[in-house]
Amino acid sequence: MWWLLLLITVVVVAFHSASASVIESTWEVEYKYWWPDCKEGIVMAINGQFPGPTIDAVAGDTVIIHVVNKLSTEGVVIHWHGIRQNGSPWADGAAGVTQCPINPGETFTYKFIVDKAGTHFYHGHYGMQRSAGLYGMLIVRSPKERLRYDGEFNLLLSDWWHQSIHAQELALSSRPMRWIGEPQSLLINGRGQFNCSQAAYFNKGGEKDVCTFKENDQCAPHTLRVEPKRVYRLRIASTTALASLNLAVQGHQLVVVEADGNYVAPFTVNDIDIYSGETYSLLLKTNALPSKKYWISVGVRGREPITPQALTVLNCVNATTDSRPSHPPPVTPTWNDTERSKSFSKKIVAAKGYPKPPEKSHDQLILLNTQNLYEDYTKWSINNVSLTVPATPYLGSIRYGLTSAYDLKSPAKKFTVDNYDIMKPPANPNTTKGSGIYSFPLGIVVDVVLQNANVLKGVVSEIHPWHIHGHDFWVLGYGDGKFKPGVDEKTYNLKNPPLRNTVVLYPYGWTALRFVTDNPGVWFFHCHIEPHLHMGMGVVFAEGVDRIGKMEIPDEALGCGLTRKWLMNRGRP
Ligand SMILES: [Cu+2]
């Protein structure tokens, strides 16, 4: 069996040049029984680990990951969230957009350059596989780090359901739709507690509910061991399927220094909000007291929280194993205090020295986000089109000119501003489905305004964190109510907007962003909430179509749909 071990061992090949290395690994993806929250469930593991292994690279490195699909009956892909894939769009890992799902038993090799330092992660991007636990951290270090700190920790945050993703997908795609409900638990680095609380001893008579962990329990939290009066970098990433989160460290302030792989002007807070798809780096200076323990708490925001906080402990050296934090965990801010969340978002501006956005844009999309019905199936739509990702990846159909693979008509660039009341349920609840895309020439400046609205029923507007592939964008501003074209553009921050790859759209509000079409490829832009994307909440950007037509794309990425047919017949008369 030694050869099997050898096969699954992570192979790191480092070419000892001063500039860049190659990081090469083989990853076997399979389902495994696991106890993420002290209850047995099934996770998608990589090489037997959950969460998957951390990639630790230096800017400029080449990453090569051979993904072996060991799932018995379903395809798989992995998306490298935050990596722009300049020159390698086929390695972006978005099923149906940049590649075919990897078939069971087959191997696909991702090869890409991590060109820029930052805190990132990776995750499944086929069906709802991210929600099944297919994720891990992806750290890209700077050879010339400008931040000074004594140590660092990764905190990968996620939410967890006891129902399988197959049951969840079916529920969401049923008529009528069956909502999956709130997560049963929140996980920190894949560890949470469902049926006990580490902090129950603060409740009257709660001692019986205090978690008792055995060594090696998969749900036992990893504590962060620190020394007093030192500075630590906390690299936080949220890969939740649904939950918007808030993180606090008891007795400590947090200095926000990085967001989505870009440095921001440092600012100090007691806690941070983090939406699915976002990453942050925080600097934390441990206070002067040794022998003490402090809670790190993660709770739900934006939806009425049913899920208990996730907890772990900041453990100052010399604290005894059986000692406990002396105060209850920090209380998560009220779930519906949206103004508090907005004020946090607005504190985030670019660090000094970052490029400013171009003054003017060449094109503008105004994308209305609505919840609708399509033949009584519940959908999410953008400008009244709910996205259906085709069986043939767009990158392949554009490369080989297979025009019957998707809808050639683009969705509308703007919704009819005057006629839609965003404060009310849609007057006409019905929507359309489609696979049309937005196409841009290279080298232009594109503005996107995301417009939120009321859902199908009741007086509710939901949070949507929007994530772009292949790019960072400048976040130009947020506003309440309906965007006023020609007026609200004047409020844009063009001085120091932050560069990000994910941005939140607040209830009943709008969010504006700007990017330059400098990366030939086909890029997904979608809500990062897994059920929302599953119900069609996304759009697709094709950039530099003539360049895609000349691109060298590995055939292995395109072995499905019409591209498979094309490749099989290649060379025949
Ligand atoms: Cu959403």
Side-chain angles (χ1 to χ4, degrees):
M1 292 300 270
W2 61 271
W3 53 270
L4 189 68
L5 275 172
L6 197 69
L7 184 76
I8 62 172
T9 302
V10 172
V11 188
V12 178
V13 186
F15 294 117
H16 293 284
S17 75
S19 51
S21 305
V22 175
I23 292 176
E24 186 167 9
S25 306
T26 297
W27 285 4
E28 296 190 345
V29 178
E30 61 185 335
Y31 282 112
K32 258 186 103 77
Y33 287 118
W34 208 270
W35 291 257
D37 61 354
C38 307
K39 184 178 157 56
E40 187 178 79
I42 297 169
V43 300
M44 292 187 90
I46 297 173
N47 293 348
Q49 290 181 50
F50 167 76
T54 296
I55 297 178
D56 200 329
V58 177
D61 285 356
T62 299
V63 174
I64 302 173
I65 307 287
H66 309 283
V67 175
V68 187
N69 181 356
K70 301 276 278 188
L71 309 169
S72 56
T73 57
E74 62 189 291
V76 73
V77 294
I78 294 184
H79 166 59
W80 316 94
H81 186 111
I83 307 299
R84 291 172 298 176
Q85 302 291 359
N86 207 297
S88 52
W90 51 268
D92 187 49
V97 179
T98 61
Q99 74 170 104
C100 302
I102 308 164
N103 284 323
E106 295 185 352
T107 301
F108 181 79
T109 298
Y110 292 94
K111 181 178 177 187
F112 54 90
I113 294 170
V114 288
D115 58 343
K116 196 163 121 296
T119 302
H120 304 297
F121 60 108
Y122 61 82
H123 60 79
H125 214 306
Y126 183 41
M128 288 174 59
Q129 288 180 343
R130 173 162 57 93
S131 196
L134 185 52
Y135 42 70
M137 294 293 285
L138 198 177
I139 308 297
V140 184
R141 296 180 190 283
S142 168
K144 292 176 279 183
E145 181 58 71
R146 60 161 95 176
L147 303 170
R148 292 283 161 262
Y149 46 92
D150 303 303
E152 66 173 60
F153 296 96
N154 297 336
L155 298 176
L156 179 57
L157 311 178
S158 55
D159 44 8
W160 184 250
W161 279 257
H162 293 161
Q163 197 179 36
S164 77
I165 57 156
H166 303 104
Q168 291 184 43
E169 287 178 12
L170 175 63
L172 296 167
S173 319
S174 287
R175 181 165 59 179
M177 184 263 281
R178 302 189 198 180
W179 178 237
I180 59 168
E182 301 300 311
Q184 272 71 58
S185 48
L186 302 177
L187 310 179
I188 302 175
N189 293 335
R191 290 155 182 268
Q193 295 86 43
F194 161 68
N195 49 7
C196 63
S197 164
Q198 297 176 68
Y201 59 91
F202 291 107
N203 311 337
K204 209 173 164 215
E207 198 67 44
K208 63 179 186 333
D209 301 321
V210 176
C211 304
T212 49
F213 302 112
K214 287 191 287 302
E215 223 186 312
N216 303 327
D217 269 359
Q218 288 169 342
C219 62
H222 277 159
T223 61
L224 279 54
R225 294 187 171 275
V226 294
E227 293 185 34
K229 284 171 126 175
R230 296 281 171 86
V231 177
Y232 293 89
R233 180 180 192 166
L234 304 182
R235 295 179 182 266
I236 323 274
S238 174
T239 183
T240 56
L242 175 67
S244 305
L245 300 175
N246 180 274
L247 176 140
V249 182
Q250 190 168 50
H252 291 82
Q253 291 201 307
L254 306 166
V255 183
V256 181
V257 289
E258 182 210 344
D260 297 355
N262 294 290
Y263 294 111
V264 299
F267 63 98
T268 304
V269 286
N270 291 319
D271 55 84
I272 64 155
D273 281 341
I274 180 165
Y275 300 94
S276 178
E278 292 185 330
T279 71
Y280 287 100
S281 276
L282 314 172
L283 295 183
L284 171 148
K285 188 173 183 200
T286 49
N287 68 28
L289 297 170
S291 316
K292 279 204 75 172
K293 288 182 179 173
Y294 305 88
W295 293 113
I296 298 176
S297 70
V298 176
V300 174
R301 310 241 25 228
R303 304 177 69 90
E304 196 159 4
I306 296 168
T307 317
Q309 282 181 333
L311 295 173
T312 188
V313 168
L314 190 73
N315 190 348
C316 246
V317 282
N318 303 331
T320 54
T321 353
D322 55 357
S323 72
R324 290 163 162 178
S326 54
H327 292 83
V331 175
T332 302
T334 321
W335 70 274
N336 55 0
D337 188 352
T338 316
E339 291 310 311
R340 194 182 191 281
S341 299
K342 287 179 190 168
S343 87
F344 175 74
S345 292
K346 288 172 186 171
K347 281 183 187 146
I348 302 166
V349 296
K352 275 204 188 83
Y354 261 86
K356 284 183 188 180
E359 291 278 327
K360 294 225 155 52
S361 68
H362 302 101
D363 207 347
Q364 185 190 47
L365 304 181
I366 304 182
L367 304 180
L368 176 66
N369 292 222
T370 51
Q371 189 188 33
N372 329 73
L373 295 175
Y374 178 82
E375 293 174 353
D376 292 326
Y377 293 102
T378 303
K379 296 283 176 192
W380 287 90
S381 298
I382 304 307
N383 290 355
N384 213 37
V385 180
S386 186
L387 182 69
T388 312
V389 177
T392 310
Y394 292 106
L395 190 64
S397 25
I398 293 174
R399 168 65 181 82
Y400 295 114
L402 308 174
T403 50
S404 57
Y406 61 99
D407 299 337
L408 290 184
K409 191 175 177 302
S410 297
K413 281 192 174 177
K414 287 168 198 189
F415 70 98
T416 319
V417 179
D418 298 333
N419 297 344
Y420 197 95
D421 186 350
I422 65 148
M423 303 306 287
K424 290 194 182 134
N428 173 3
N430 295 314
T431 189
T432 60
K433 290 201 294 186
S435 58
I437 60 178
Y438 296 103
S439 194
F440 301 114
L442 280 182
I444 68 161
V445 181
V446 177
D447 276 8
V448 179
V449 178
L450 295 161
Q451 175 68 62
N452 214 336
N454 200 92
V455 299
L456 261 175
K457 286 184 191 134
V459 186
V460 181
S461 180
E462 291 193 22
I463 285 172
H464 305 288
W466 276 79
H467 170 64
I468 198 166
H469 292 222
H471 286 280
D472 287 337
F473 47 61
W474 288 278
V475 180
L476 300 183
Y478 305 88
D480 296 326
K482 196 145 87 171
F483 182 80
K484 295 181 281 299
V487 177
D488 283 327
E489 287 92 339
K490 296 190 177 77
T491 68
Y492 285 173
N493 172 16
L494 298 176
K495 203 179 95 215
N496 57 0
L499 272 172
R500 303 201 67 162
N501 60 54
T502 306
V503 70
V504 57
L505 175 59
Y506 284 110
Y508 299 110
W510 56 263
T511 296
L513 54 98
R514 178 170 291 180
F515 68 98
V516 179
T517 58
D518 55 4
N519 195 4
V522 185
W523 307 113
F524 220 161
F525 178 49
H526 61 86
C527 176
H528 212 260
I529 289 178
E530 194 86 309
H532 291 185
L533 176 58
H534 183 72
M535 292 188 276
M537 196 166 205
V539 296
V540 174
F541 298 151
E543 216 168 299
V545 166
D546 49 334
R547 289 276 288 277
I548 297 171
K550 298 181 195 110
M551 223 170 240
E552 281 202 37
I553 302 168
D555 290 354
E556 296 75 40
L558 304 175
C560 64
L562 297 183
T563 38
R564 178 186 56 178
K565 219 165 144 187
W566 194 94
L567 293 170
M568 282 168 72
N569 292 327
R570 183 164 51 185
R572 292 188 195 169

